[in-house]
Amino acid sequence: MTDLTGKTALVTGSVQGIGFAIARALAEAGARIAVHGIAGDAQIHEVCGKLRQAGAPEAEFFDGDLRGPEQIERMMEAVAAWGGADILVNNAGIQHTAPLAEMPRSVWDDMIAINLSAAFHTMKAALPVMAERGYGRVVNIASVQGIISSKDKAPYVAAKHGLVGLSQVAALEYAAAGDRTKGGVTVNCICPGWTKTAIIEPQVRDRAEAFGGDRDAAIADLLKEKQPSLRMSDPSEIGALALWLCAPIAHNVTATAIPIDGGWTAQ
């Protein structure tokens, strides 16, 4: 159903976790992949090789510190020179938990920059070109924390709520671009709950202290507290939804924030 041959996808934070899973799903559908993230040469080489093996005709790394608008601009210019992003996945993100009164200012600044402002800058560069082509897909990886809130996560919740709102505005502004045949231009958020990624490890470690260091017990307790399915998601499941959102059949699916959370946000 989804053939992305001839399309180019930029996936931020795609050297591991959810970002890599999304990049792999798009590669399997035939897309060229612009890889981005924090990694050394060996990891970059390995990731690009895996994406080519998965089906990407090309996979190249594009550097850019998402805390800096000028670096983002240079990255987007480099991707444009490579063919431009038909698909943009803003996945890169950071997390830090602490009470509001104890949250370092630098953490607030970095989290807002990476988790929210970076998406503004990449979309501002990519969406006008998508509209000219009549096809474009933006998939922003938000979180259940973009729909509800939790204590000790002030900058993360603020950024993810902002990302959902930003995505809806962009979706409305570009809703009439293109047509059904070309696929149109859509902007959506995916809002994962507990997912098997490195970003949750600090929370797992903190919870494990109450269970004598038992990691499995800590995960079970986290799931029991929030996620009714009592199952974590695998990053590949996020990738499968992102791929579907890129299909022409999804031309009228825009301005959504879709949870993959085992019922968390229904409570």
Side-chain angles (χ1 to χ4, degrees):
M1 182 178 66
T2 305
D3 181 1
L4 299 180
T5 301
K7 306 296 186 187
T8 298
L10 167 61
V11 185
T12 67
S14 49
V15 294
Q16 62 180 352
I18 290 174
F20 176 74
I22 293 172
R24 184 180 180 89
L26 300 177
E28 289 173 346
R32 302 163 77 232
I33 307 296
V35 178
H36 166 271
I38 299 173
D41 290 344
Q43 186 179 5
I44 291 168
H45 179 76
E46 179 184 6
V47 167
C48 289
K50 286 182 177 179
L51 294 174
R52 294 188 195 103
Q53 290 175 1
E58 296 178 82
E60 299 293 338
F61 182 79
F62 292 83
D63 191 25
D65 186 336
L66 299 185
R67 294 172 296 182
E70 296 82 8
Q71 289 203 43
I72 296 172
E73 184 177 352
R74 287 194 292 271
M75 178 182 72
M76 296 306 292
E77 288 173 350
V79 173
W82 196 55
D86 302 290
I87 298 164
L88 169 63
V89 181
N90 285 300
N91 165 77
I94 58 173
Q95 170 68 289
H96 180 82
T97 58
L100 179 65
E102 300 172 15
M103 188 68 69
R105 185 175 64 184
S106 61
V107 171
W108 170 273
D109 291 342
D110 286 351
M111 203 172 298
I112 295 299
I114 294 170
N115 293 10
L116 176 58
S117 297
F120 166 79
H121 296 301
T122 57
M123 288 195 294
K124 183 179 179 182
L127 277 165
V129 179
M130 292 178 180
E132 290 176 5
R133 294 175 175 178
Y135 169 88
R137 294 291 187 267
V138 178
V139 180
N140 291 325
I141 306 305
S143 166
V144 293
Q145 305 294 341
I147 301 172
I148 48 84
S149 300
S150 297
K151 65 179 185 179
D152 299 337
K153 297 181 180 180
Y156 191 78
V157 169
K160 295 303 186 179
H161 270 72
L163 184 59
V164 171
L166 172 64
S167 301
Q168 290 173 341
V169 171
L172 292 173
E173 291 184 1
Y174 287 91
D179 54 34
R180 183 194 299 267
T181 302
K182 291 184 177 179
V185 177
T186 68
V187 183
N188 293 286
C189 286
I190 296 176
C191 301
W194 291 118
T195 307
K196 297 175 185 176
T197 63
I199 200 170
I200 71 166
E201 284 305 313
Q203 295 175 74
V204 172
R205 287 197 300 270
D206 290 345
R207 186 67 63 102
E209 292 180 5
F211 293 92
D214 188 331
R215 186 174 182 277
D216 290 339
I219 291 172
D221 195 55
L222 286 169
L223 289 169
K224 182 177 66 175
E225 180 180 298
K226 298 288 189 180
Q227 197 146 302
S229 68
L230 303 180
R231 299 186 299 273
M232 279 201 178
S233 296
D234 187 83
S236 64
E237 296 156 16
I238 317 300
L241 177 56
L243 175 61
W244 184 84
L245 288 171
C246 293
I249 198 171
H251 67 97
N252 256 343
V253 181
T254 195
T256 69
I258 305 174
I260 302 182
D261 66 358
W264 183 339
T265 53
Q267 301 174 98

